Amino acid sequence: MNGTTPQPTARTRSWWGWGRTDEHPDDAECTAMGALLPGTLGRPLPVPRVRDLGIGSPAVEPPGSLAHLVSADPADRAAHAMGKAYRDVVRALRGRPGRIPDLVARPADERGVADLLEWAGERQVAVVPYGGGSSVTGGVEYRGDAHRAVLSLDLTAMGRVLEVDAEGRAARIQAGTLGPALEDQLRPYGLTLRHFPQSFEFSTLGGWLATRAGGHYATGRTHIDDFVQSLRVVTPAGTSSSWRLPASGAGPSPDRLFLGSEGALGVITEAWVRLQERPRHKASAAVSFTGFPDALRAVRALAQSGLSPANCRLLDAGEAALSGAARDGCAVLVLGFESADEPVDALLARGVDLARSHGGRYDDTPVGASGPHAAPSGDAAVVAWRSAFLRMPYLRDGLARMGAVAETFETAATWDRIPGLIEAVRTEVGAAALKATGHPATVNCRLTHVYPDGAAPYFTVLAAGRAGDEVALWDDLKAVAGEVLHRHRATITHHHAVGRDHRPGYDRQRPEPFALALRAAKGALDPRGILNPGVLVD
């Protein structure tokens, strides 16, 4: 039964934290980071070990016909117990990871998925679909005790690009394909999906589709929804296969039923997705602003200009300092353009000019020895931000080892609500953290995606923890944030999905007639209630 357990490699995925183990901060780096925050521990918590969890035997065994697909290895089960949110990392560090799945299955085709679902339904085994495990909203764990056992359905054995239509710029791709493998298989055709979430290295196409993931690019096709031509989804009631079409007005879209369904209605097994030529021309710049309101107006003007920058990420002064993009108290706009067809220098120049007209300052001179508090040059600020962006999840885990709260959340709202929303989050979450810990907190903001009618603010919270009670503290702070979002009619999530952590906010946000229809769909497609219980609907 353990024949499918993956073998360790030179660069091992962390079972408890983000990414790969060789990228984690060591004890000295954790201690140095902790010294920068008040109220942290004197030494880092030890790296957790699977053997200390005391994982018992599975509550069920698969039939012989499925045994070759299934693993009961304790390390495999522990690695599939949770996602990679701050609260997941802390629970692992404290030895309280929650319910460990009894089995991990890796089907290689749709027949295997269907057979596993049939067996699970007969035995009342909960099935939690699993891609790369990068969920930050409790989307890949089981909570509760209503089911006899839990099966983590890992789709990464279904990781191939099956067909490429170069003329139509589309590809049929299996859902378990991880981001790097997807792009590697498209590269010989000179094509790309051009969808790069921060979790790109550790997430799958199926995970992106099931969570309506947002990519790195700030305008245009910001979500995976925009790339979908058709889906295949295995449900307990049968397999749904939509037509591959460039567009359709034939009633409600079947694809829209499953996009964002988070494994609660079925298991996405493959998709036809739209591709584009790989960009050959790129240009970027960093524009600084002494006032954040001016920066907001500049970004709104860019979003409404039709220039469609690939990157239009606004960092407030705190976020700019944290990433190293600025050290002079300025907000920084990271602006970038790219194209497969023609140089984009003129587009960048127009974008910079538009930002300057709203008070922006652009310095394209090389970095010089101009003192420790000087702002980096425009090019250096872009490099600093990009490096920090990729490194940040690892640093978060290092701070968690020091007992600190270090987490993010995101939302989206219309432009008329953005200034008040950002100010309210900073003020109210900061006040709640001060009251709970006795220490001031840092609440930073950046805009990750922008639209003609609104934007997606993304908040970083750094605060002192409460030793042994970090999860409850973060849950309290997140509840305060959720109340602010609801009051300002800002979505509970722009691109992190609902999962289990965002259920209260999602239940309040969605219209009740839609909730009735969603419950009916759940009952029809998953009559035994085995698929990712607790996600989206009960």
Side-chain angles (χ1 to χ4, degrees):
M1 187 166 67
N2 295 322
T4 59
T5 303
Q7 297 302 308
T9 63
R11 302 196 67 212
T12 304
R13 279 287 301 272
S14 172
W15 75 267
W16 64 272
W18 186 262
R20 304 191 185 280
T21 56
D22 61 348
E23 295 284 344
H24 286 189
D26 60 20
D27 285 4
E29 189 176 0
C30 290
T31 302
M33 287 191 295
L36 301 177
L37 285 175
T40 56
L41 302 175
R43 66 180 65 180
L45 294 169
V47 173
R49 300 178 301 184
V50 171
R51 65 175 178 266
D52 294 334
L53 298 178
I55 297 174
S57 300
V60 293
E61 289 191 9
S65 61
L66 298 176
H68 66 290
L69 301 177
V70 175
S71 165
D73 178 74
D76 207 8
R77 293 164 61 192
H80 287 76
M82 301 179 296
K84 302 302 181 187
Y86 166 80
R87 68 190 318 278
D88 303 330
V89 170
V90 170
R91 286 186 293 163
L93 288 169
R94 293 295 184 181
R96 301 191 293 264
R99 182 161 177 175
I100 304 290
D102 296 271
L103 301 168
V104 177
R106 291 183 175 83
D109 52 33
E110 283 187 358
R111 182 70 264 165
V113 173
D115 289 346
L116 286 160
L117 292 186
E118 183 178 6
W119 168 75
E122 292 172 351
R123 301 297 298 273
Q124 269 300 294
V125 174
V127 178
V128 180
Y130 188 100
S134 61
S135 170
V136 292
T137 60
V140 295
E141 67 176 276
Y142 180 86
R143 296 179 188 172
D145 55 8
H147 293 78
R148 178 183 178 189
V150 180
L151 172 74
S152 179
L153 187 64
D154 186 320
L155 294 171
T156 52
M158 300 170 65
R160 293 187 298 134
V161 174
L162 300 174
E163 187 176 352
V164 174
D165 175 3
E167 289 185 355
R169 291 187 183 177
R172 182 165 67 97
I173 304 175
Q174 290 183 307
T177 310
L178 289 158
L182 185 154
E183 288 294 331
D184 286 346
Q185 292 176 73
L186 294 177
R187 190 168 286 107
Y189 299 91
L191 298 172
T192 175
L193 180 60
R194 194 182 177 271
H195 184 78
F196 300 107
Q198 188 177 31
S199 62
F200 172 76
E201 186 178 1
F202 309 110
S203 55
T204 63
L205 174 63
W208 303 340
L209 296 166
T211 61
R212 297 183 65 193
H216 170 70
Y217 293 94
T219 66
R221 292 177 175 175
T222 59
H223 282 71
I224 193 65
D225 315 31
D226 302 318
F227 298 92
V228 174
Q229 285 187 328
S230 68
L231 297 177
R232 282 185 64 86
V233 186
V234 176
T235 82
T239 298
S240 171
S241 181
S242 61
W243 288 11
R244 180 192 168 202
L245 295 167
S248 175
S253 166
D255 296 335
R256 287 285 175 180
L257 176 64
F258 295 107
L259 287 168
S261 63
E262 303 191 24
L265 303 181
V267 180
I268 298 171
T269 56
E270 66 179 60
W272 273 98
V273 291
R274 299 178 177 94
L275 308 176
Q276 54 198 294
E277 291 185 35
R278 305 186 74 84
R280 296 189 296 272
H281 306 279
K282 298 181 181 182
S284 59
V287 183
S288 59
F289 294 83
T290 56
F292 194 66
D294 287 340
L296 284 176
R297 284 188 284 271
V299 170
R300 187 182 70 224
L302 282 161
Q304 296 172 347
S305 69
L307 293 175
S308 299
N311 200 359
C312 190
R313 194 163 302 229
L314 176 61
L315 319 178
D316 72 5
E319 195 75 3
L322 190 65
S323 68
R327 297 182 294 272
D328 57 359
C330 286
V332 172
L333 170 62
V334 180
L335 189 62
F337 292 84
E338 61 182 49
S339 170
D341 302 314
E342 59 186 358
V344 292
D345 303 88
L347 286 174
L348 180 64
R350 288 169 61 193
V352 169
D353 285 346
L354 186 55
R356 279 173 166 162
S357 72
H358 288 80
R361 184 177 71 252
Y362 173 56
D363 176 14
D364 59 354
T365 58
V367 183
S370 50
H373 301 293
S377 74
D379 292 339
V382 172
V383 173
W385 166 80
R386 186 177 294 120
S387 175
F389 176 78
L390 297 174
R391 183 66 178 152
M392 195 58 68
Y394 292 103
L395 301 183
R396 177 206 65 179
D397 292 357
L399 286 169
R401 290 186 62 199
M402 295 304 298
V405 170
E407 185 58 306
T408 62
F409 62 93
E410 40 71 48
T411 183
T414 52
W415 282 117
D416 59 317
R417 300 177 186 274
I418 288 293
L421 168 66
I422 293 173
E423 183 58 31
V425 168
R426 287 171 174 160
T427 301
E428 296 182 39
V429 174
L434 177 61
K435 181 178 179 180
T437 68
H439 298 284
T442 296
V443 183
N444 295 333
C445 177
R446 64 182 185 265
L447 301 187
T448 59
H449 302 77
V450 295
Y451 306 90
D453 53 347
Y458 191 111
F459 297 94
T460 300
V461 180
L462 301 173
R466 290 195 304 242
D469 198 30
E470 297 92 346
V471 171
L473 172 59
W474 172 246
D475 286 348
D476 290 344
L477 296 181
K478 190 69 175 288
V480 171
E483 287 299 321
V484 175
L485 302 187
H486 183 73
R487 191 170 71 244
H488 286 262
R489 296 184 70 84
T491 182
I492 193 63
T493 178
H494 173 264
H495 60 266
H496 278 173
V498 175
R500 291 163 178 81
D501 298 345
H502 287 159
R503 263 297 299 277
Y506 177 65
D507 288 350
R508 296 172 71 184
Q509 179 178 329
R510 68 185 177 198
E512 184 55 29
F514 179 78
L516 290 173
L518 190 58
R519 292 187 195 103
K522 173 73 170 176
L525 297 173
D526 181 25
R528 289 168 168 161
I530 61 169
L531 284 172
N532 218 1
V535 167
L536 297 183
V537 292
D538 295 321

